PDB file of all heavy atoms in Angstrom:
ATOM      1  N   ILE A  51     290.278  67.031 117.542  1.00 98.00           N
ATOM      2  CA  ILE A  51     291.316  66.414 116.696  1.00 98.00           C
ATOM      3  C   ILE A  51     292.118  65.322 117.422  1.00 98.00           C
ATOM      4  O   ILE A  51     293.042  65.560 118.190  1.00 98.00           O
ATOM      5  CB  ILE A  51     292.333  67.547 116.284  1.00 98.00           C
ATOM      6  CG1 ILE A  51     291.566  68.763 115.762  1.00 98.00           C
ATOM      7  CG2 ILE A  51     293.323  67.037 115.268  1.00 98.00           C
ATOM      8  CD1 ILE A  51     292.408  69.947 115.421  1.00 98.00           C
ATOM      9  N   GLY A  52     291.817  64.076 117.111  1.00 98.00           N
ATOM     10  CA  GLY A  52     292.621  62.994 117.432  1.00 98.00           C
ATOM     11  C   GLY A  52     292.583  62.506 118.942  1.00 98.00           C
ATOM     12  O   GLY A  52     291.898  63.159 119.752  1.00 98.00           O
ATOM     13  N   GLU A  53     293.204  61.411 119.212  1.00 97.00           N
ATOM     14  CA  GLU A  53     293.163  60.859 120.586  1.00 97.00           C
ATOM     15  C   GLU A  53     293.943  61.611 121.630  1.00 97.00           C
ATOM     16  O   GLU A  53     293.765  61.341 122.780  1.00 97.00           O
ATOM     17  CB  GLU A  53     293.587  59.367 120.425  1.00 97.00           C
ATOM     18  CG  GLU A  53     292.797  58.569 119.489  1.00 97.00           C
ATOM     19  CD  GLU A  53     293.061  57.117 119.456  1.00 97.00           C
ATOM     20  OE1 GLU A  53     293.016  56.365 120.477  1.00 97.00           O
ATOM     21  OE2 GLU A  53     293.466  56.474 118.387  1.00 97.00           O
ATOM     22  N   ASP A  54     294.784  62.541 121.157  1.00 96.00           N
ATOM     23  CA  ASP A  54     295.554  63.331 122.081  1.00 96.00           C
ATOM     24  C   ASP A  54     294.790  64.568 122.571  1.00 96.00           C
ATOM     25  O   ASP A  54     295.197  65.236 123.503  1.00 96.00           O
ATOM     26  CB  ASP A  54     296.926  63.820 121.447  1.00 96.00           C
ATOM     27  CG  ASP A  54     297.839  62.569 121.271  1.00 96.00           C
ATOM     28  OD1 ASP A  54     297.693  61.528 121.974  1.00 96.00           O
ATOM     29  OD2 ASP A  54     298.666  62.672 120.307  1.00 96.00           O
ATOM     30  N   ASP A  55     293.647  64.856 121.960  1.00 97.00           N
ATOM     31  CA  ASP A  55     292.857  65.975 122.278  1.00 97.00           C
ATOM     32  C   ASP A  55     291.927  65.516 123.428  1.00 97.00           C
ATOM     33  O   ASP A  55     290.999  64.726 123.163  1.00 97.00           O
ATOM     34  CB  ASP A  55     292.048  66.466 121.071  1.00 97.00           C
ATOM     35  CG  ASP A  55     291.041  67.602 121.402  1.00 97.00           C
ATOM     36  OD1 ASP A  55     291.047  67.978 122.503  1.00 97.00           O
ATOM     37  OD2 ASP A  55     290.326  68.023 120.468  1.00 97.00           O
ATOM     38  N   GLU A  56     292.159  66.039 124.624  1.00 95.00           N
ATOM     39  CA  GLU A  56     291.387  65.537 125.740  1.00 95.00           C
ATOM     40  C   GLU A  56     289.893  65.767 125.588  1.00 95.00           C
ATOM     41  O   GLU A  56     289.214  65.074 126.297  1.00 95.00           O
ATOM     42  CB  GLU A  56     291.975  66.193 126.999  1.00 95.00           C
ATOM     43  CG  GLU A  56     293.255  65.711 127.563  1.00 95.00           C
ATOM     44  CD  GLU A  56     293.124  64.361 128.333  1.00 95.00           C
ATOM     45  OE1 GLU A  56     292.102  63.691 128.085  1.00 95.00           O
ATOM     46  OE2 GLU A  56     293.943  64.038 129.064  1.00 95.00           O
ATOM     47  N   ALA A  57     289.528  66.781 124.906  1.00 97.00           N
ATOM     48  CA  ALA A  57     288.102  67.061 124.777  1.00 97.00           C
ATOM     49  C   ALA A  57     287.387  66.298 123.624  1.00 97.00           C
ATOM     50  O   ALA A  57     286.223  66.291 123.502  1.00 97.00           O
ATOM     51  CB  ALA A  57     287.951  68.530 124.497  1.00 97.00           C
ATOM     52  N   CYS A  58     288.223  65.589 122.850  1.00 98.00           N
ATOM     53  CA  CYS A  58     287.617  64.800 121.717  1.00 98.00           C
ATOM     54  C   CYS A  58     287.011  63.493 122.228  1.00 98.00           C
ATOM     55  O   CYS A  58     287.611  62.832 123.157  1.00 98.00           O
ATOM     56  CB  CYS A  58     288.743  64.528 120.691  1.00 98.00           C
ATOM     57  SG  CYS A  58     288.260  63.678 119.219  1.00 98.00           S
ATOM     58  N   HIS A  59     285.884  63.101 121.686  1.00 98.00           N
ATOM     59  CA  HIS A  59     285.240  61.866 122.114  1.00 98.00           C
ATOM     60  C   HIS A  59     286.157  60.671 121.874  1.00 98.00           C
ATOM     61  O   HIS A  59     285.997  59.679 122.548  1.00 98.00           O
ATOM     62  CB  HIS A  59     284.010  61.647 121.342  1.00 98.00           C
ATOM     63  CG  HIS A  59     282.835  62.570 121.892  1.00 98.00           C
ATOM     64  ND1 HIS A  59     281.648  62.668 121.263  1.00 98.00           N
ATOM     65  CD2 HIS A  59     282.812  63.316 122.941  1.00 98.00           C
ATOM     66  CE1 HIS A  59     280.887  63.506 121.926  1.00 98.00           C
ATOM     67  NE2 HIS A  59     281.540  63.937 122.930  1.00 98.00           N
ATOM     68  N   ALA A  60     287.127  60.812 121.006  1.00 98.00           N
ATOM     69  CA  ALA A  60     288.031  59.715 120.682  1.00 98.00           C
ATOM     70  C   ALA A  60     289.218  59.595 121.610  1.00 98.00           C
ATOM     71  O   ALA A  60     290.078  58.745 121.481  1.00 98.00           O
ATOM     72  CB  ALA A  60     288.590  59.846 119.251  1.00 98.00           C
ATOM     73  N   ALA A  61     289.312  60.475 122.633  1.00 97.00           N
ATOM     74  CA  ALA A  61     290.461  60.549 123.529  1.00 97.00           C
ATOM     75  C   ALA A  61     290.688  59.204 124.286  1.00 97.00           C
ATOM     76  O   ALA A  61     291.854  58.906 124.679  1.00 97.00           O
ATOM     77  CB  ALA A  61     290.275  61.680 124.591  1.00 97.00           C
ATOM     78  N   ARG A  62     289.657  58.435 124.491  1.00 94.00           N
ATOM     79  CA  ARG A  62     289.838  57.135 125.028  1.00 94.00           C
ATOM     80  C   ARG A  62     289.650  55.965 124.154  1.00 94.00           C
ATOM     81  O   ARG A  62     289.132  54.902 124.539  1.00 94.00           O
ATOM     82  CB  ARG A  62     288.899  56.986 126.255  1.00 94.00           C
ATOM     83  CG  ARG A  62     289.134  58.095 127.267  1.00 94.00           C
ATOM     84  CD  ARG A  62     288.703  57.753 128.604  1.00 94.00           C
ATOM     85  NE  ARG A  62     288.913  59.010 129.454  1.00 94.00           N
ATOM     86  CZ  ARG A  62     288.399  59.131 130.660  1.00 94.00           C
ATOM     87  NH1 ARG A  62     287.565  58.148 131.073  1.00 94.00           N
ATOM     88  NH2 ARG A  62     288.668  60.196 131.372  1.00 94.00           N
ATOM     89  N   GLY A  63     289.961  56.202 122.898  1.00 96.00           N
ATOM     90  CA  GLY A  63     289.892  55.116 121.944  1.00 96.00           C
ATOM     91  C   GLY A  63     288.505  54.947 121.340  1.00 96.00           C
ATOM     92  O   GLY A  63     287.565  55.637 121.614  1.00 96.00           O
ATOM     93  N   MET A  64     288.421  54.032 120.420  1.00 97.00           N
ATOM     94  CA  MET A  64     287.180  53.808 119.640  1.00 97.00           C
ATOM     95  C   MET A  64     286.142  53.045 120.482  1.00 97.00           C
ATOM     96  O   MET A  64     286.380  52.046 121.102  1.00 97.00           O
ATOM     97  CB  MET A  64     287.400  53.015 118.387  1.00 97.00           C
ATOM     98  CG  MET A  64     286.244  52.916 117.466  1.00 97.00           C
ATOM     99  SD  MET A  64     286.638  52.496 115.767  1.00 97.00           S
ATOM    100  CE  MET A  64     287.153  50.777 116.016  1.00 97.00           C
ATOM    101  N   THR A  65     284.874  53.487 120.397  1.00 97.00           N
ATOM    102  CA  THR A  65     283.792  52.840 121.009  1.00 97.00           C
ATOM    103  C   THR A  65     282.675  52.786 119.973  1.00 97.00           C
ATOM    104  O   THR A  65     282.759  53.389 118.920  1.00 97.00           O
ATOM    105  CB  THR A  65     283.289  53.654 122.249  1.00 97.00           C
ATOM    106  OG1 THR A  65     282.695  54.843 121.830  1.00 97.00           O
ATOM    107  CG2 THR A  65     284.405  53.871 123.282  1.00 97.00           C
ATOM    108  N   ALA A  66     281.582  52.134 120.396  1.00 96.00           N
ATOM    109  CA  ALA A  66     280.451  51.999 119.506  1.00 96.00           C
ATOM    110  C   ALA A  66     279.914  53.411 119.149  1.00 96.00           C
ATOM    111  O   ALA A  66     279.432  53.705 118.017  1.00 96.00           O
ATOM    112  CB  ALA A  66     279.308  51.178 120.073  1.00 96.00           C
ATOM    113  N   ARG A  67     279.986  54.332 120.112  1.00 97.00           N
ATOM    114  CA  ARG A  67     279.400  55.654 119.995  1.00 97.00           C
ATOM    115  C   ARG A  67     280.230  56.465 118.974  1.00 97.00           C
ATOM    116  O   ARG A  67     279.719  57.165 118.052  1.00 97.00           O
ATOM    117  CB  ARG A  67     279.447  56.343 121.330  1.00 97.00           C
ATOM    118  CG  ARG A  67     278.860  57.758 121.253  1.00 97.00           C
ATOM    119  CD  ARG A  67     279.341  58.585 122.537  1.00 97.00           C
ATOM    120  NE  ARG A  67     278.623  59.694 122.775  1.00 97.00           N
ATOM    121  CZ  ARG A  67     279.060  60.696 123.506  1.00 97.00           C
ATOM    122  NH1 ARG A  67     280.234  60.567 124.183  1.00 97.00           N
ATOM    123  NH2 ARG A  67     278.358  61.780 123.786  1.00 97.00           N
ATOM    124  N   ASN A  68     281.573  56.433 119.128  1.00 98.00           N
ATOM    125  CA  ASN A  68     282.423  57.437 118.338  1.00 98.00           C
ATOM    126  C   ASN A  68     282.974  56.793 117.127  1.00 98.00           C
ATOM    127  O   ASN A  68     283.861  57.372 116.519  1.00 98.00           O
ATOM    128  CB  ASN A  68     283.458  58.028 119.213  1.00 98.00           C
ATOM    129  CG  ASN A  68     284.443  56.924 119.690  1.00 98.00           C
ATOM    130  OD1 ASN A  68     284.633  55.903 119.088  1.00 98.00           O
ATOM    131  ND2 ASN A  68     285.148  57.249 120.838  1.00 98.00           N
ATOM    132  N   LYS A  69     282.625  55.619 116.687  1.00 97.00           N
ATOM    133  CA  LYS A  69     283.399  54.903 115.621  1.00 97.00           C
ATOM    134  C   LYS A  69     283.396  55.618 114.269  1.00 97.00           C
ATOM    135  O   LYS A  69     284.235  55.497 113.518  1.00 97.00           O
ATOM    136  CB  LYS A  69     283.049  53.492 115.605  1.00 97.00           C
ATOM    137  CG  LYS A  69     281.790  53.108 114.805  1.00 97.00           C
ATOM    138  CD  LYS A  69     281.640  51.578 114.811  1.00 97.00           C
ATOM    139  CE  LYS A  69     280.264  51.140 114.398  1.00 97.00           C
ATOM    140  NZ  LYS A  69     280.059  51.079 113.008  1.00 97.00           N
ATOM    141  N   VAL A  70     282.318  56.410 114.064  1.00 98.00           N
ATOM    142  CA  VAL A  70     282.185  57.160 112.794  1.00 98.00           C
ATOM    143  C   VAL A  70     283.398  58.090 112.615  1.00 98.00           C
ATOM    144  O   VAL A  70     283.906  58.314 111.581  1.00 98.00           O
ATOM    145  CB  VAL A  70     280.864  57.870 112.638  1.00 98.00           C
ATOM    146  CG1 VAL A  70     280.853  58.759 111.476  1.00 98.00           C
ATOM    147  CG2 VAL A  70     279.692  56.850 112.628  1.00 98.00           C
ATOM    148  N   MET A  71     283.785  58.671 113.806  1.00 98.00           N
ATOM    149  CA  MET A  71     284.958  59.566 113.776  1.00 98.00           C
ATOM    150  C   MET A  71     286.250  58.948 113.247  1.00 98.00           C
ATOM    151  O   MET A  71     287.101  59.658 112.797  1.00 98.00           O
ATOM    152  CB  MET A  71     285.247  60.154 115.170  1.00 98.00           C
ATOM    153  CG  MET A  71     284.354  61.279 115.580  1.00 98.00           C
ATOM    154  SD  MET A  71     284.897  61.881 117.254  1.00 98.00           S
ATOM    155  CE  MET A  71     286.040  63.151 116.682  1.00 98.00           C
ATOM    156  N   PHE A  72     286.365  57.678 113.465  1.00 98.00           N
ATOM    157  CA  PHE A  72     287.544  56.892 113.048  1.00 98.00           C
ATOM    158  C   PHE A  72     287.555  56.533 111.593  1.00 98.00           C
ATOM    159  O   PHE A  72     288.486  56.033 111.094  1.00 98.00           O
ATOM    160  CB  PHE A  72     287.734  55.608 113.901  1.00 98.00           C
ATOM    161  CG  PHE A  72     288.196  55.928 115.287  1.00 98.00           C
ATOM    162  CD1 PHE A  72     287.319  56.410 116.309  1.00 98.00           C
ATOM    163  CD2 PHE A  72     289.537  55.760 115.700  1.00 98.00           C
ATOM    164  CE1 PHE A  72     287.758  56.631 117.576  1.00 98.00           C
ATOM    165  CE2 PHE A  72     290.002  55.987 116.947  1.00 98.00           C
ATOM    166  CZ  PHE A  72     289.105  56.381 117.945  1.00 98.00           C
TER     167      PHE A  72
END
Side-chain angles (χ1 to χ4, degrees):
Chain A
I51 312 175
E53 303 187 57
D54 294 332
D55 177 2
E56 284 281 22
C58 183
H59 285 172
R62 301 203 183 164
M64 185 164 70
T65 67
R67 179 203 198 195
N68 65 23
K69 80 180 167 81
V70 173
M71 279 185 91
F72 286 78

